[in-house]
Amino acid sequence: MLRNCPGARRLSGSFVGNLLLIAAGFLFGEILLFLIMLTDDDPGAWFCMGTAIALVMLLVTTILFYGVGYTGAFSLALSMNCTRRRFLLGYSRRILLHLVVGYALVLGLYQLELLIGRAAFADYPLELEFGFLTDWPIVLAAMAGMLLLALFTGAMFGRFGRKAGLIVYFVWMFFCFVVPKIFSAEPGGEGVFDQAALLTQSALLRMPPAGWYTLGAIAAISMAVTVVVLAQKQMVR
């Protein structure tokens, strides 16, 4: 399949580069952790900073890099007689491979950071363990979600071009700034946003697991359908 779809293989060189970015993020987090622990008079506890940044880099390399590279890979593949269906399958396999290898890398780096942290900061407790890294339902759901988000981002760029960048930017800013404020909102605020944040927070926290599963399934199906429809309509550039 991949042999007939060079567009799905054109990122083979950057595949290793993306993994190196994850490792570089981990190294940066470790340096930051040691700087904080050595310069703070009473840090109280230590945190797996390297693993946290490595996870962010796994998210960024999957959704943004593979999403942005989707349009060029799509055009190259179709110009060399690859069908749209084969391209989607091949590109999905490439992203999934990145996710599996990237997850294994992050998991290994997490274990390494635990060894380093417990040896270097034996006098301080670990603030938070990343137990979700070995919770397989969460891991599989996260991989499926990132795969669909990468394809969805790529399909949006293929359909709307640079305008999709603005959409991705505003969505990213929403999750970076608005969502944290919603979950950190406390009673007493008088502003319209404060009241709306409290109502949203209350509704989300009271939602049963079945509700979250339903929302996740609806989002996944919607993104998958959108990707397939846009791939059928996308023009070769």
Side-chain angles (χ1 to χ4, degrees), residues 5-235:
C5 293
R9 294 180 295 151
R10 70 192 304 259
L11 297 177
S12 58
S14 61
F15 178 82
V16 177
N18 288 336
L19 297 178
L20 290 176
L21 285 176
I22 296 173
F26 172 81
L27 180 60
F28 174 76
E30 284 298 279
I31 294 174
L32 190 61
L33 171 64
F34 271 83
L35 286 176
I36 293 173
M37 297 297 293
L38 293 176
T39 57
D40 196 330
D41 294 333
D42 185 18
W46 64 280
F47 178 72
C48 292
M49 188 77 69
T51 304
I53 296 180
L55 282 170
V56 172
M57 292 307 299
L58 176 60
L59 177 67
V60 169
T61 54
T62 301
I63 297 177
L64 293 186
F65 288 6
Y66 281 93
V68 172
Y70 176 96
T71 302
F74 179 88
S75 298
L76 177 60
L78 265 66
S79 67
M80 302 187 72
N81 298 322
C82 178
T83 65
R84 297 168 191 263
R85 177 177 176 275
R86 286 196 175 195
F87 168 76
L88 281 178
L89 292 175
Y91 203 76
S92 298
R93 289 179 60 182
R94 172 62 60 180
I95 298 174
L96 186 59
L97 178 61
H98 168 72
L99 283 170
V100 172
V101 177
Y103 163 74
L105 176 61
V106 171
L107 186 60
L109 292 174
Y110 173 61
Q111 298 299 326
L112 176 62
E113 187 169 27
L114 288 178
L115 292 175
I116 295 175
R118 286 167 179 167
F121 315 120
D123 295 334
Y124 301 99
L126 175 61
E127 183 175 346
L128 178 67
E129 292 190 13
F130 291 176
F132 61 86
L133 287 175
T134 53
D135 191 333
W136 298 114
I138 294 178
V139 171
L140 294 176
M143 285 190 179
M146 285 193 284
L147 170 63
L148 287 171
L149 279 172
L151 291 173
F152 180 78
T153 302
M156 294 294 288
F157 271 102
R159 176 65 180 84
F160 300 106
R162 293 182 179 179
K163 295 180 181 178
L166 292 175
I167 299 174
V168 172
Y169 173 78
F170 284 120
V171 171
W172 179 266
M173 290 296 102
F174 177 82
F175 280 97
C176 287
F177 295 102
V178 178
V179 173
K181 287 185 178 180
I182 290 176
F183 283 98
S184 62
E186 297 181 355
E190 299 180 355
V192 176
F193 177 82
D194 293 330
Q195 297 300 320
L198 284 174
L199 289 174
T200 305
Q201 180 191 102
S202 177
L204 292 176
L205 293 179
R206 293 179 181 178
M207 184 180 297
W212 288 105
Y213 298 151
T214 302
L215 287 178
I218 292 173
I221 294 173
S222 299
M223 285 190 292
V225 171
T226 302
V227 168
V228 173
V229 171
L230 292 181
Q232 295 297 325
K233 295 182 178 181
Q234 183 176 337
M235 300 297 292

